[in-house]
Structures are given as C-alpha cells and as structure tokens.
Amino acid sequence: MDLEEAFQLVGEFGSYQKQMVLVLVLLQLYHANLRNFRGFEQVYMACQSMLIVLIGAIPEYHIEQGDHSNYEELIKHVTFTEDVNSIVTEWFLLKQQAYKVSLAGSLFFAGVLVGNVFFGPLSDKIGRKPVFLTALFFEVVFGYATAFAPSYEVFALSRLLVGLMNGGMSLVCFVLTQEYVGKAYWAMTGTLTNMTFAVGIALFGALGYYVRPWRTLATAANSPGVLFFLLCVTLPESPRWLYSRGYTEKAEEVLQYIAVRNGNSNAAAKVKLRMCPGSVKTGNRGNNGPGLLDLFTHTVLRWRTVVLMYVWYSCSLVYYGLTMNASEESGNRYFSVAMYGLVELPAYPLCIYFIDKQWAGRRKTMASFLGLAGLSCLCTMLVPVNAGALFNATSLALLGKLLVSAAFNIVYVYTTELYPTAVRNAGLGVCSMSCRVGGILAPFVPSMRDLHTSMPFMVFCLSGISAGCLGLLLPETLNKPVTETLDELSSPAYHRIVETETHLFEEDQSKTNHKLNQ
C-alpha cells in the first residue's frame, strides 16, 4: 500500500495523533509570545514573537532643562512620567538611541530568516525530529539569556540567537503537525496551529498587563519551553519523511506505533508499505537526495517558489506591520496588543469553510483575502480618524489584520501541499526566509507616518493587492494527491492520476448536489 492508504488504515487523525498535534500547537502558542519581544510564531512562539512590543514599550517622559550637549548628560535630565519597566527605561533608549528598540525586533527576524534557510533543508536531509529538538532546546537557553541580559548588546545578541533557533524549530513544528496526520486533515491542523498564534498574542497582552517588569515578563514567557521540550522528546519521527527518504521499514514501524496508540492494534499488523518511487534509496540522486537548489532548478518548482516567496513576504509585511502598529497608537498598549490578536480568530473558521469548497479552494481564497486586506488598508487612508464612528481608521486596520491573517493561514497550508515531502521543509524554509524579510522591515513601516499619515497603509495596500494577483498564477491543490518525491511531481503518470482523481471527485460532488436538490 502507499502512504495515504496506510494512514487510512491506522487512522488519519486518531487519539494519539490528536495528542501529538496538541503538544505542537501549544508549543506554537508559546512561540508567539517569545517573538513578542518586538516580533511574533504560535502559544510559545506567539510569546517569543510579541515580546518586544511590550518589553520595548516607550513610556511618556519629559526632559528637564540643562546641559544636553551629549547623550550622557541628556539621560541625567530624563524623567519618566509613566509607570513602565522596559528596556527603554533601563538602558535609556531615547532620542538618538531609540532606533535600538526596532533594531532588536529586526535582529530577531534576521535570525528567523537564517534559521529558516539553514534548518529547513537540514531537516529534509537528516530528519524532522533531531533538528526540531535541537532548535527548541537552544531557543529556551537563549530565551533565558534575553531575560538576564546585563546590557543592551547582550540582549540584542540573544534576540538574534532566539530568532535563529525559532526559525528552525517553528518551521519543522508546523510540518510535523501536517505529516503526522492524513492529507484530509492538513487544512484543519494547519489552521488550528496558526489560530493558536493569535490566541498567544492575546494571552501575551494579558500576561504583560499583570507582569510589568520586563525581565520577569521575559522569564515567564520563556519558561513553558522547558515543559514543551520534555513533552516533545517522546514524539516519533515523521513517517512521511522516512517514506520519502526510502526508510520504508522505519516508516512502517512509526505507523504501526501510531496504530497501537490509536487503539487500532489489528491494523498495525496489516501495515505494509511499498517502496516509494523516486526516493533517495531507489532514485538516482545519490545519498544526499534533493535539496535547496532543486527549488530553483526544477522546472515545476521554480515558478512556484518565486511566486510563493513574494506572497509570503507580503503577508508578513502586512501582518506584522499592522500588529506592531498597535504599539504606535495611543491608548492602552496591553489592550491594543490583545485586540490585534483576538481580531484574527474569526479568520480561521472562514478559512476552514472556504478552502475546502470546490468552487473556492486554496488559490482563489488566498488571493481574495490578500486583495481584500489591501483594499481595507486603502480605505483606511480615505476614512477620517474619528474615535466616535463605527467605521474609523482603527476598525478598518483591524479588518485588514483579520483578512491578512486568513491569507497567512492559507499560505502555510497551501505551500505545504505545493511542495513534495522530499523538499517540503526546504520549500517552506525559502518561503519563510522571504517572509522574514517582511518581518525585518515591518517594525519600521509604522514610523513612515512621519512622512505622511497614510504612508504605512499605502505600503500595506499595494503589497496585499499585488500578492493576491500573483497568487492566482499558482495551481490548485484541493483534493489533489500529495507528492512525496520530485520524480512524482515531474511524472506524466502522476499528472494523469491527479486528473483522474479530480474528475472522480467532481462527479461525486455533482451526484451529491443532485441528490440534495431532489
């Protein structure tokens, strides 16, 4: 049997797979808060991502008259009038030193960028689990280095290293949530994983409200990583990766183990995989197998990769730019951060509904959400700022955040389906690399309002609309079989199978609709 038939036998989303996905999803939540030290990735990843938004908060202050001839004299006359404890108040990152707050956020994303490019292809070579655990362990270590940094320089270096490990770990984490389950559940697990990132942002806003000292906040945001590391040690290797690399017997062992843990012992004895055609052991690519260069040299993947890189870049720029714009606005910064997280939640049920509909699918839904996000940012520039009106600039910006969140969620699932298992992490790594370029630039976009108040939203508008148009050039993946190797992707036989399965599915849908109409 092939891999999909084996998953149907052992259970596509059984009790054990639900446990594994739950651990990985909660890990993503932790990540979102760690990124919040001025960036973002899901509960643990959400914490890491958003960390800088609160620990880099700039409180109200005034400067007394006196000798301001140099910076050392200037800080002696600074009085903070707001009760805020952040890196700004500890190291006086004001005036000509204020750029260091945004720099710390950009360094995090620079680290994520390098981590995506390095760890993504590495996990395709040596396996998902060893790369995932190594990156998670060192992310926790460097997270504590952030909390106890004695100087800004050490703090900035720790943010770079946390980002490096975050980039490697989070990407593999997402792929594992897909590869542990059957293809039919990829949209659901991918959406659930991304949804927890929004929850993580909201929880981080609440955590920041009650835990004000920035070092304590950083420690609290990082500590769950220790528990998650201990839980993840017991996870098995991805059966899809083992199968695509030619380790058929090991893949069978993992599937049999999943079947037993799912309470389906009878199915475990029936799992017998045929050798994957085009795998490293049976193909002609040698021991190294396909790699990063294949994304740009392979005739099918080349165009997909270029388009996806721009789509990911635009999603990141608009998503993080609008979120970080919350910290630039007046009002309660903790409420703003939480609101910019909670506003994403309605996007995910919309995604689950639309991307599984034959008339919408992945491609059209992603392009539509990106275009609408761009249009909402355009309308933000045209609507006057009126706190008393229902449709004001802030509400339209929140609508833009909701729409781009939906697009961001879809692009994760869509990209996973567009790349074969043999290069899936490499493909996600390259796309995520371009995504981090958007993240690096995002902290500086809100400051463009100094040129013109509408300038940030003009950037978001053009990015969203252009990415949506380009996304329409990609192929649809709804109800298409998963490719495991590059040979399958190029094989005429594979394309005939795709056409046949698609035709059969459309016939079944037509019959079902006819019966419902009767």
Side-chain angles (χ1 to χ4, degrees), residues 76-378:
K76 293 178 182 178
H77 297 86
V78 173
T79 301
F80 293 102
T81 58
E82 189 179 355
D83 184 19
V84 171
N85 181 278
S86 68
I87 61 172
V88 174
T89 60
E90 180 164 335
W91 293 314
F92 290 93
L93 303 181
L94 306 169
K95 297 296 182 178
Q96 61 265 40
Q97 298 291 317
Y99 75 94
K100 290 184 177 180
V101 179
S102 294
L103 177 62
S106 294
L107 283 173
F108 175 86
F109 279 109
V112 173
L113 185 153
V114 177
N116 291 155
V117 177
F118 177 73
F119 288 108
L122 185 64
S123 69
D124 285 333
K125 298 286 185 183
I126 68 173
R128 314 299 199 213
K129 184 177 178 179
V131 172
F132 170 68
L133 291 178
T134 301
L136 176 56
F137 174 79
F138 284 105
E139 180 174 10
V140 174
V141 171
F142 295 136
Y144 282 118
T146 293
F148 298 104
S151 64
Y152 172 81
E153 288 71 23
V154 175
F155 171 82
L157 177 61
S158 70
R159 294 314 297 161
L160 175 67
L161 294 174
V162 167
L164 181 69
M165 297 301 135
N166 184 289
M169 187 273 285
S170 61
L171 210 60
V172 183
C173 181
F174 181 84
V175 170
L176 283 174
T177 62
Q178 306 287 81
E179 294 184 348
Y180 280 149
V181 302
K183 168 64 161 56
Y185 289 90
W186 281 19
M188 189 267 287
T189 56
T191 300
L192 183 63
T193 302
N194 288 322
M195 183 176 68
T196 55
F197 185 77
V199 176
I201 294 175
L203 290 178
F204 185 75
L207 179 65
Y209 179 80
Y210 291 104
V211 183
R212 297 299 179 91
W214 76 266
R215 292 185 185 276
T216 307
L217 179 60
T219 303
N222 189 65
S223 294
V226 178
L227 174 62
F228 286 122
F229 176 79
L230 296 175
L231 291 173
C232 290
V233 168
T234 61
L235 296 178
E237 180 57 270
S238 164
R240 291 186 183 276
W241 179 83
L242 291 169
Y243 183 65
S244 70
R245 299 292 290 187
Y247 300 113
T248 308
E249 293 182 0
K250 292 183 177 179
E252 288 175 355
E253 291 175 3
V254 173
L255 289 169
Q256 290 166 357
Y257 177 71
I258 291 174
V260 172
R261 293 295 301 271
N262 282 343
N264 196 0
S265 301
N266 293 332
K270 300 177 183 178
V271 175
K272 188 64 178 178
L273 297 172
R274 57 171 171 261
M275 186 65 72
C276 179
S279 66
V280 173
K281 287 191 174 182
T282 60
N284 56 4
R285 293 179 175 271
N287 292 329
N288 290 329
L292 192 64
L293 289 178
D294 289 283
L295 301 177
F296 300 97
T297 58
H298 192 278
T299 53
V300 177
L301 293 180
R302 185 188 303 119
W303 180 243
R304 291 186 187 182
T305 301
V306 172
V307 173
L308 284 170
M309 285 177 69
Y310 182 72
V311 171
W312 277 68
Y313 160 80
S314 299
C315 283
S316 177
L317 182 70
V318 179
Y319 178 89
Y320 291 125
L322 286 173
T323 304
M324 290 175 183
N325 196 56
S327 65
E328 304 287 334
E329 297 175 353
S330 59
N332 189 308
R333 65 173 59 89
Y334 306 100
F335 177 78
S336 297
V337 168
M339 183 58 65
Y340 269 69
L342 292 174
V343 74
E344 296 181 32
L345 294 181
Y348 300 105
L350 290 175
C351 289
I352 293 175
Y353 176 78
F354 283 112
I355 63 178
D356 282 333
K357 297 295 182 182
Q358 190 66 25
W359 50 269
R362 276 66 158 148
R363 181 186 60 176
K364 294 178 182 177
T365 307
M366 181 192 72
S368 299
F369 278 129
L370 278 170
L372 290 172
L375 289 175
S376 69
C377 291
L378 175 65

